[in-house]
Amino acid sequence: MDMQELKSLIYQGEKVDIECKKAESNVPKAAYESYSAFANTKGGYIILGVKEDKTKTNPEERFILQGIENPDKQKEDFWNTINGNKVNVNILKDEDVFKVESDGISLLVIHVPRAEFNMRPVYVGENPYKGTFKRNHEGDYRATEHEIRGMIRDQNPEGNDSMILEYYTMDDIDKETLRKYRQIFEIRNDGHVWNSLDDKEFLEKLGGYRKDRKTGVEGLTLAGLMMFGTGQAIREKFSNIFMDYRNETEVTVDVRWNDRITYDGTWENNLFNFFSKVTPKLTEDLPKPFKLEGIQRIDETPVHKAVREAFVNLIIHADYLMDAGTLKIIKKNKSFEFTNPGILKLPIEDIFRGGNSKPRNPHMQTMLRMVGFGDNAGSGFPTILATWEAEGWIEPKLVENTILNQVTLELCMMPAWLLKLQELETQIIEKLNTSPEKSQAIQQSLAEATGNISIPKTEGIEAAIVAFANGISVLPIVQCESIENALMEVAKQGKEIADLAKLLSDKLAEKSAERVLESAEKPAEKITAEFSKRQKQILEYMKEGGLYSTEEIAVAIGLKGPRTRQLLNELVEMGVVKCTAATKNRRYIKKSTAEKG
């Protein structure tokens, strides 16, 4: 990283992954608190040698790169401290601490990665409950006891759901829920040796009931109670956890949801019942193409399976021992949201890659897999990604909120090209150089053009751009020209958006050429209204057969370019002037008397 790259990082301002400190001659104590905070949150950069003037708002004035006096010594001091007893563990590599120097200024940069789940919490001093920090947009803060306990629980590679809940026995199991589960189990596992076991033995095999050989304590496990327990027993032990499903496909100002499943006293609110009640509602509106496998009709698609897989992930990765949390599922017209308490145990990149599953509740995972729900360990999320990619939809988004300590999986059933098109649309609007009234009209027209696009999933962004151009080309010439001018500015942006802008500009030029040809083939309209004073000036200046640019005519009649362009386009619409199809170098021609008809 050179100084220019570091400046661009600093001038973004202090945020969840950047911390600047003055550190003129010594590494400040607060740097180790930031080390703990970054390691326990999402990682980040600590930059020593930057003074912050909080009275300024301009980043280049607010963050002053004054440098540090002795970078080599501070670097050595930092390593000695981090490897000593100041913090409980060093998770840094040599390349994570480095100097950046330019024009006599030396800065010390410390890149702190996110700590592995089995190494958190990373804390300052000897007491994790006093020295553990986390990070939010306002800076470092001391982690709560519940957050620290959650990190300590996550160190267990065997997960959380095998813990014995003392004094919770088979009397706390809802017999009807377990009966339904066993019925499905027997159908899917015909002849399985567990089918002949009594309920307690059956739960022991699944990990729902356990006896500790050392202490002799026995009882339902967290998995057993949460999956099959009575609602009352679950609420007594886990009053902090709620289950909530909302169908928001038809919400209005007055209607917040059109269907909801949460605890209302009419059902035993255990996880298996919640899963059984909600799953059919999630998938009932998904298309079910007619398909036969032999003589049996197959009513499922990969999308059905992916949505169920997302629900399974919600259950098996949730931290039911948090101080508060909700297993929340929201169904919308074109998307699903699955939210569970607990932060990610693995980095998002590893989850997307798959092959390494670290669920908090592996016994619940087994319980669901034995009755046909959930893929093999580590393959669930890649299955969802592959399904969404095959459908041509926006890539699923996994959002971790380390402040609320929850994770949300967003599954959007919209074409992937829509995001790129919306970005291009936003860029066009930002570059419009016209009056607020006209800008508003153009924004509305662009939104309508986007909303009217309907292309097969197998076609991509290029087909969408063509359809978008078709929608725009029917707009008044004045609006089209404003859009084309904005596109010229957009084309100067980053490569991907520039390529899209050029493609759209080319397609609009083609449409404009077709429009001119169509206009030339039609009989010219008789002009009955009188020309305005400015229109007469333009017609008097133009000679028949001559080619004129907007700029040339603007200078001749003493008007600004945009107003002149508007007048010229009005004359084109009136049939007395025609224009060339080129977008960049458009020229206007005064029609002859014969052409006007």
Side-chain angles (χ1 to χ4, degrees), residues 6 145 156 316 401 413 482:
L6 187 56
E145 182 177 336
N156 181 5
I316 68 175
N401 189 322
M413 296 183 292
S482 295

Side-chain angles (χ1 to χ4, degrees), residues 226-473:
M226 285 299 298
M227 284 292 285
F228 307 116
T230 64
Q232 182 176 346
I234 290 173
R235 291 190 298 277
E236 285 176 0
K237 184 64 180 177
F238 299 102
S239 59
N240 54 316
I241 296 295
F242 297 91
M243 305 172 197
D244 191 14
Y245 161 76
R246 296 200 303 266
N247 183 331
E248 298 182 0
T249 56
E250 299 174 14
V251 294
T252 64
V253 175
D254 301 317
V255 179
R256 293 171 60 193
W257 59 78
N258 42 293
D259 187 19
R260 187 177 189 184
I261 295 176
T262 190
Y263 177 65
D264 58 6
T266 63
W267 59 288
E268 299 290 348
N269 58 309
N270 55 53
L271 285 173
F272 189 71
N273 273 342
F274 185 60
F275 184 81
S276 301
K277 290 170 73 69
V278 172
T279 299
K281 292 179 176 290
L282 281 176
T283 58
E284 64 186 354
D285 301 326
L286 296 175
K288 296 180 180 179
F290 183 80
K291 182 182 178 183
L292 290 177
E293 191 171 288
I295 61 172
Q296 185 178 2
R297 176 169 176 165
I298 306 300
D299 285 331
E300 288 198 340
T301 67
V303 177
H304 288 76
K305 295 176 182 177
V307 171
R308 280 205 308 268
E309 185 66 39
F311 198 168
V312 170
N313 282 347
L314 171 94
I315 291 172
I316 68 175
H317 292 294
D319 188 346
Y320 299 101
L321 299 169
M322 294 292 294
D323 57 329
T326 303
L327 286 90
K328 181 171 62 177
I329 303 172
I330 299 177
K331 177 182 179 180
K332 299 184 179 181
N333 274 321
K334 290 290 183 180
S335 67
F336 301 95
E337 290 181 9
F338 298 85
T339 300
N340 63 265
I343 61 173
L344 297 174
K345 289 183 70 172
L346 297 175
I348 287 180
E349 312 80 60
D350 291 355
I351 295 170
F352 272 61
R353 193 181 305 116
N356 182 22
S357 179
K358 295 293 180 185
R360 287 189 175 88
N361 308 295
H363 293 293
M364 292 184 191
Q365 183 180 38
T366 298
M367 291 169 181
L368 290 169
R369 191 171 66 246
M370 292 296 283
V371 288
F373 302 115
D375 283 347
N376 293 326
S379 62
F381 201 79
T383 297
I384 297 172
L385 291 174
T387 300
W388 248 244
E389 183 179 7
E391 293 293 330
W393 290 335
I394 293 169
E395 184 178 70
K397 188 186 295 184
L398 201 58
V399 181
E400 180 184 35
N401 189 322
T402 55
I403 300 170
L404 296 178
N405 292 302
Q406 66 182 28
V407 175
T408 298
L409 172 61
E410 300 174 3
L411 299 179
C412 182
M413 296 183 292
M414 299 289 285
W417 51 259
L418 184 61
L419 285 181
K420 295 181 181 178
L421 199 58
Q422 288 174 338
E423 183 182 354
L424 178 59
E425 185 181 322
T426 300
Q427 293 279 352
I428 291 171
I429 293 168
E430 287 179 359
K431 302 298 180 184
L432 284 175
N433 183 18
T434 185
S435 66
E437 296 79 14
K438 287 181 182 172
S439 178
Q440 188 174 0
I442 292 173
Q443 289 183 45
Q444 185 176 348
S445 298
L446 290 172
E448 289 174 358
T450 306
N452 290 332
I453 295 175
S454 177
I455 62 172
K457 68 181 182 184
T458 52
E459 300 182 28
I461 184 63
E462 290 194 15
I465 288 289
V466 172
F468 193 40
N470 289 339
I472 296 173
S473 64

Side-chain angles (χ1 to χ4, degrees), residues 61-97:
E61 296 176 351
R62 182 174 183 127
F63 296 98
I64 304 160
L65 280 64
Q66 64 178 26
I68 54 179
E69 299 172 359
N70 44 2
D72 291 324
K73 183 178 184 307
Q74 288 204 42
K75 182 178 178 181
E76 182 181 356
D77 288 347
F78 176 80
W79 277 119
N80 289 338
T81 304
I82 211 81
N83 287 319
N85 57 8
K86 181 72 175 179
V87 296
N88 67 314
V89 63
N90 174 17
I91 62 170
L92 304 181
K93 300 176 183 176
D94 288 345
E95 58 268 26
D96 287 323
V97 184

Side-chain angles (χ1 to χ4, degrees), residues 198-215:
D198 64 28
D199 285 348
K200 181 180 175 183
E201 293 172 324
F202 182 75
L203 277 182
E204 284 181 312
K205 296 296 185 183
L206 286 174
Y209 191 98
R210 191 166 72 84
K211 181 176 181 178
D212 188 313
R213 293 180 182 274
K214 286 184 179 180
T215 64

Side-chain angles (χ1 to χ4, degrees), residues 10-23:
I10 293 168
Y11 293 150
Q12 292 176 29
E14 287 189 335
K15 52 180 189 174
V16 75
D17 58 355
I18 298 172
E19 176 68 28
C20 298
K21 297 190 182 296
K22 191 175 175 182

